[in-house]
Amino acid sequence: MRFLALETDINKIKQAYCHDGECEILFTRYHGLSFFFAILREIILTIVLFGLGIVGWFFEWPMGWLAWMLFLFWLFFVVFNVVKAYIDWMFDFIFVTTDKIILVDQTSFFRRQINPIHIENIGGVSIETQLWGLFPFGKLHIRLKEGLGGETIILKFVPYAGKVASQISDVVTRFQREH
């Protein structure tokens, strides 16, 4: 289903960027803790608003007015950011084929960025641990060749980043041997 810039059918995106003779090697989403860290501020704000409601009840403030104001504040400043973070987490993914890496960044209902990187443009892949290596995710560094500015794309919260980097490196090596 498509709503504005949000495409919920991932297979449609895959089909649009995967051509005849191209095989899917890897598909991965980002780790769930990336969603948790994105909404941590909203969780704290919800607790503070709830606490403010309890304080108002304890001091016998007009609860009808207070509850309505706290609810509206929570609706505008918390719910919107949680929905945005959920969309950003749920519909972002890394898709690796035999010819390219496709990075999909669905930020909201209104913005989607798809970045196909052809294998011949990749200079190297490396990983870095996150949160002291306590969880099974890390940072994936994709270095582009110097002709493309030598830019490094850093992807955070990639599940099993070592395995992902290994598979991408394998695809790059196979491509270089064939060409």
Side-chain angles (χ1 to χ4, degrees):
M1 178 183 97
R2 184 179 172 123
F3 179 74
L4 301 174
L6 175 63
E7 177 62 67
T8 59
D9 188 0
I10 293 182
N11 287 325
K12 285 185 180 179
I13 297 172
K14 286 181 176 182
Q15 290 171 356
Y17 286 89
C18 194
H19 304 291
D20 293 336
E22 206 172 352
C23 298
E24 179 178 339
I25 304 296
L26 172 74
F27 173 84
T28 187
R29 297 178 187 270
Y30 295 93
H31 197 276
L33 280 178
S34 67
F35 174 64
F36 173 75
F37 288 127
I39 66 167
L40 187 59
R41 182 185 65 200
E42 283 71 25
I43 292 170
I44 293 169
L45 186 57
T46 300
I47 292 169
V48 168
L49 291 174
F50 187 74
L52 188 59
I54 290 174
V55 167
W57 177 74
F58 181 75
F59 286 110
E60 298 178 0
W61 294 345
M63 287 308 294
W65 181 83
L66 180 64
W68 183 248
M69 293 308 291
L70 289 175
F71 176 73
L72 286 177
F73 189 84
W74 180 78
L75 191 66
F76 288 120
F77 293 103
V78 173
V79 173
F80 175 74
N81 288 335
V82 170
V83 169
K84 185 178 180 292
Y86 177 76
I87 289 170
D88 191 27
W89 167 72
M90 183 66 184
F91 298 106
D92 286 5
F93 61 88
I94 302 167
F95 179 56
V96 180
T97 69
T98 51
D99 294 339
K100 63 179 103 46
I101 298 172
I102 301 161
L103 307 174
V104 177
D105 181 17
Q106 181 73 53
T107 305
S108 66
F109 289 113
F110 309 108
R111 182 179 172 277
R112 175 180 60 200
Q113 181 179 4
I114 300 176
N115 187 10
I117 304 168
H118 296 276
I119 296 298
E120 65 263 11
N121 297 328
I122 296 175
V125 179
S126 62
I127 63 163
E128 181 182 343
T129 59
Q130 274 184 278
L131 300 175
W132 310 286
L134 295 174
F135 300 100
F137 58 81
K139 293 180 185 178
L140 179 67
H141 298 257
I142 301 172
R143 286 182 304 284
L144 302 179
K145 290 188 176 174
E146 196 169 313
L148 299 171
E151 178 185 348
T152 298
I153 298 171
I154 300 172
L155 306 170
K156 298 178 182 178
F157 295 102
V158 176
Y160 304 103
K163 291 180 182 178
V164 172
S166 172
Q167 288 181 317
I168 292 172
S169 179
D170 185 51
V171 169
V172 170
T173 302
R174 288 175 193 249
F175 183 85
Q176 288 172 346
R177 286 180 184 162
E178 290 175 3
H179 294 91

